[in-house]
Amino acid sequence: VKAMGRDDERFHAEVRRIVNVHCDAVSEDCFRARPSSKGKYISVTAKVYVESREHLESLYGDLRASEHVLYIL
């Protein structure tokens, strides 16, 4: 799961919160962040296990609904 937003702590916290709501026992090692070339934006990738397509769609839906998430992949 990959989400992109402005590089601030609210974005990081929101992505982690949403992922943890949908997936059990997600450690910090499961998250990887990569800043944009100018440092204004950041992408956060979470390696998680989802049980079904519906589970994944629910996770993406909550990410999409967040005001801090600009894009999801």
Side-chain angles (χ1 to χ4, degrees), residues 1 18-19 22-23 48 50 55-63:
V1 174
I18 292 169
V19 169
H22 290 274
C23 304
V48 296
V50 293
H55 185 196
L56 182 62
E57 289 174 359
S58 177
L59 172 56
Y60 277 140
D62 283 354
L63 286 168

Side-chain angles (χ1 to χ4, degrees):
V1 174
K2 184 178 282 194
M4 293 180 245
R6 294 195 183 276
D7 189 9
D8 64 34
E9 189 53 40
R10 292 175 297 177
F11 169 71
H12 293 269
E14 181 74 352
V15 171
R16 285 186 179 94
R17 183 192 68 76
I18 292 169
V19 169
N20 282 308
V21 164
H22 290 274
C23 304
D24 295 330
V26 180
S27 71
E28 287 299 313
D29 295 336
C30 295
F31 292 94
R32 188 179 79 231
R34 184 169 178 245
S36 65
S37 60
K38 294 185 181 177
K40 185 174 181 180
Y41 301 100
I42 193 160
S43 67
V44 174
T45 303
K47 289 189 177 185
V48 296
Y49 175 78
V50 293
E51 298 174 4
S52 65
R53 182 171 183 85
E54 291 79 21
H55 185 196
L56 182 62
E57 289 174 359
S58 177
L59 172 56
Y60 277 140
D62 283 354
L63 286 168
R64 194 176 298 112
S66 170
E67 66 181 278
H68 300 290
V69 176
L70 300 177
Y71 300 101
I72 55 170
L73 299 176

